[in-house]
């Protein structure tokens, strides 16, 4: 019967597997993975190291680990595993290792069933998250790719990596300094500060939570969802395709800019330095802006109020539709109409205004 170290190190057969029938206790440094591919079926057993080196997966080699209940006790030289090839992990929990759980300088695929990493993942490689949830791990990588069936739930402080999110990214706090791209959903369900560019199909701010965008550009390609009592403090650029604001969009400085490319419905409060309407903005509540540029339709609903605009430019057969809406505390200073039209219905309320 071969020891666990021998199973790891042997070169033949090139592709092989081991299925654990009891807990494995490792007292020797494991070292290099032999052959080309090893699959470890954990069967909910433990792999425990006695403060020894873990497995080193070299370039071009593959290690598969499935359903190890607790992969623990390895030292900081390799972590539990040092990967420069391909490492596939499913349903495995890493804990009580002296250093990082995984040092990944290759490709790490987290697939099919949830895994956990109490000491985190470091290195210069790429993580792919597919058909599983990665929850509250500390990660330092070159790229994290979340596929359409994957979910990453983390404090933003724990992530140091470019993020390509085509699935679900959940931030439960912290400061995001990582570029986020992709076609997925990013949800803010605790207060988060943002200092890097974000491009996502859907951005959702949970009720009573806040996203503070300091200087970056946030682009929402499909839908912005700001729930009741939620807030975005935008001092950078906010580019919105469509969506609904039931909370607050405000600014702390005069650098804020918001663009609407399709259709935004405002049922809350918006206060920005500059608003660019490239298609349609429907305001059913409160909007304050220093500058507004209309290249589409700005519609004030029955309860819509519009405050304190210094510069207003209407272009290209655009429309201001005030049907039961109100324009308060405002002189239309520097109003420019370039081939545009203003549709003011009879019941519109212009309270002591000049145009």
């Amino acid at each position: 019967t071969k020891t666990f170290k021998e199973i790891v190190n042997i070169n033949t057969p090139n592709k092989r597997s081991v299925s654990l029938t009891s807990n494995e206790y490792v007292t020797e440094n494991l070292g290099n993975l032999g052959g080309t591919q090893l699959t470890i079926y954990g069967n909910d057993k433990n792999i425990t190291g006695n403060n020894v080196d873990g497995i080193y997966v070299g370039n071009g080699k593959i290690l598969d680990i499935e359903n190890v209940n607790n992969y623990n006790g390895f030292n900081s030289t390799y972590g539990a595993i040092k990967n420069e090839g391909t490492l596939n992990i499913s349903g495995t929990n890493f804990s009580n290792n002296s250093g990082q759980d995984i040092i990944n300088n290759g490709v790490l695929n987290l697939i099919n069933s949830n895994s956990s990493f109490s000491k985190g993942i470091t290195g210069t490689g790429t993580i792919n998250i597919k058909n599983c949830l990665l929850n509250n791990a500390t990660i330092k990588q070159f790229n994290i790719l979340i596929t359409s069936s994957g979910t990453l739930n983390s404090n933003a402080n724990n992530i140091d990596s470019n993020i390509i999110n085509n699935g679900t990214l959940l931030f439960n706090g912290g400061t995001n300094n990582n570029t986020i791209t992709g076609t997925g959903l990013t949800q803010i369900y605790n207060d988060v500060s943002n200092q890097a560019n974000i491009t996502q199909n859907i951005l959702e701010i949970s009720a009573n939570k806040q996203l503070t965008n300091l200087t970056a550009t946030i682009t929402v390609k499909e839908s912005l969802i700001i729930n009741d009592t939620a807030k975005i403090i935008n001092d950078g650029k906010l580019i919105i395709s469509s969506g609904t604001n039931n909370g607050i969009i405000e600014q702390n400085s005069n650098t804020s800019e918001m663009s609407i490319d399709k259709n935004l419905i405002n049922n809350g409060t918006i206060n920005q330095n500059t608003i660019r309407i490239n298609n349609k903005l429907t305001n059913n509540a409160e909007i304050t802006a220093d500058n507004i540029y209309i290249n589409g339709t700005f519609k004030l609903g029955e309860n819509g109020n519009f405050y304190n605009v210094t510069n207003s430019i209407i272009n290209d057969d655009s429309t201001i539709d005030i049907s039961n809406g109100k324009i308060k505390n405002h002189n239309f200073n520097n109003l420019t109409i370039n081939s545009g039209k203003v549709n003011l219905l009879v019941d519109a309320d212009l309270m002591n205004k000049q145009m």
Side-chain angles (χ1 to χ4, degrees):
T1 303
K2 291 184 175 62
T3 66
F4 189 71
K5 175 179 172 59
E6 289 173 333
I7 293 170
V8 168
N9 295 153
I10 59 174
N11 288 311
T12 56
N14 278 333
K15 295 182 179 181
R16 59 204 187 279
S17 65
V18 58
S19 182
L20 302 185
T21 58
S22 62
N23 294 331
E24 190 71 45
Y25 295 94
V26 181
T27 59
E28 303 174 274
N29 294 334
L30 290 177
N32 294 344
L33 176 65
T36 58
Q37 184 171 2
L38 172 64
T39 300
I40 300 171
Y41 297 105
N43 299 314
D44 293 323
K45 307 304 182 188
N46 300 332
I47 298 177
T48 300
N50 185 22
N51 196 33
V52 295
D53 292 352
I55 301 174
Y56 172 72
V57 183
N59 185 32
K61 299 193 176 186
I62 301 171
L63 176 61
D64 306 310
I65 300 175
E66 297 184 13
N67 300 319
V68 174
N69 179 63
N70 190 7
Y71 202 124
N72 68 100
F74 291 87
N75 68 26
S76 59
T77 304
Y78 288 170
I81 302 168
K82 183 175 182 179
N83 176 50
E84 303 208 353
T86 300
L87 176 58
N88 302 312
I89 297 177
S90 175
T92 295
N93 302 305
F94 291 79
S95 67
N96 298 319
N97 294 297
S98 297
Q100 299 290 318
D101 293 317
I102 306 291
I103 300 172
N104 178 50
N105 299 321
V107 176
L108 170 58
N109 296 311
L110 305 178
I111 53 178
N112 297 332
S113 185
N114 300 344
S115 297
S116 64
F117 304 86
S118 68
K119 292 294 186 69
I121 302 166
T122 191
T124 58
T126 295
I127 298 176
N128 298 312
I129 303 172
K130 182 179 181 180
N131 293 331
C132 66
L133 164 68
L134 177 57
N135 195 39
N136 289 325
T138 300
I139 302 173
K140 182 177 182 180
Q141 290 282 274
F142 180 71
N143 277 326
I144 299 172
L145 172 60
I146 308 168
T147 68
S148 59
S149 56
T151 300
L152 173 59
N153 176 29
S154 182
N155 188 292
N157 291 339
N158 294 337
I159 306 296
D160 183 2
S161 172
N162 298 316
I163 301 174
I164 305 165
N165 176 38
N166 297 322
T168 302
L169 174 61
L170 306 174
F171 274 148
N172 57 35
T175 298
N176 176 55
N177 294 302
N178 309 291
T179 299
I180 302 171
T181 59
T183 60
L185 158 70
T186 292
Q187 182 176 359
I188 308 299
Y189 71 99
N190 211 334
D191 294 350
V192 172
S193 293
N194 179 62
Q195 300 186 119
N197 292 344
I198 297 175
T199 300
Q200 289 282 266
N201 276 17
I202 303 171
L203 175 64
E204 180 174 359
I205 317 299
S206 297
N208 298 311
K209 306 307 176 186
Q210 177 175 303
L211 173 63
T212 302
N213 183 40
L214 298 175
T215 58
T217 298
I218 297 177
T219 302
V220 183
K221 294 187 290 185
E222 287 187 2
S223 182
L224 174 67
I225 304 168
I226 305 177
N227 289 294
D228 289 345
T229 67
K231 181 186 291 187
I232 293 179
I233 298 177
N234 176 46
D235 290 325
K237 289 185 178 180
L238 185 59
I239 302 172
I240 304 164
S241 177
S242 298
T244 302
N245 173 39
N246 291 317
I248 298 170
I249 302 174
E250 65 180 24
Q251 61 179 340
N252 283 332
S253 69
N254 62 359
T255 60
S256 63
E257 182 174 323
M258 183 172 72
S259 299
I260 297 101
D261 290 339
K262 287 187 179 179
N263 184 17
L264 177 68
I265 298 172
N266 177 50
N267 299 320
T269 300
I270 296 176
N271 183 355
Q272 292 284 277
N273 179 267
T274 299
I275 297 176
R276 300 181 185 275
I277 303 170
N278 298 320
N279 197 316
K280 185 176 182 180
L281 170 59
T282 300
N283 178 38
N284 297 318
E286 306 286 342
I287 290 180
T288 301
D290 292 328
N291 306 287
I292 188 163
Y293 301 89
I294 302 173
N295 293 298
T297 298
F298 179 35
K299 178 177 176 59
L300 283 103
E302 182 176 355
N303 297 309
N305 295 315
F306 182 37
Y307 297 93
N308 300 332
V309 173
T310 303
N311 297 295
S312 307
I313 298 178
I314 307 172
N315 291 317
D316 302 327
D317 199 32
S318 298
T319 301
I320 298 178
D321 186 348
I322 308 173
S323 45
N324 297 323
K326 300 177 181 179
I327 299 180
K328 295 182 178 179
N329 303 323
H330 168 57
N331 296 325
F332 271 94
N333 299 321
N334 303 317
L335 171 62
T336 303
I337 301 176
N338 297 323
S339 301
K341 62 183 179 181
V342 180
N343 179 21
L344 301 179
L345 300 186
V346 174
D347 55 358
D349 184 0
L350 283 76
M351 302 174 66
N352 299 318
K353 298 298 147 289
Q354 299 176 8
M355 296 185 65

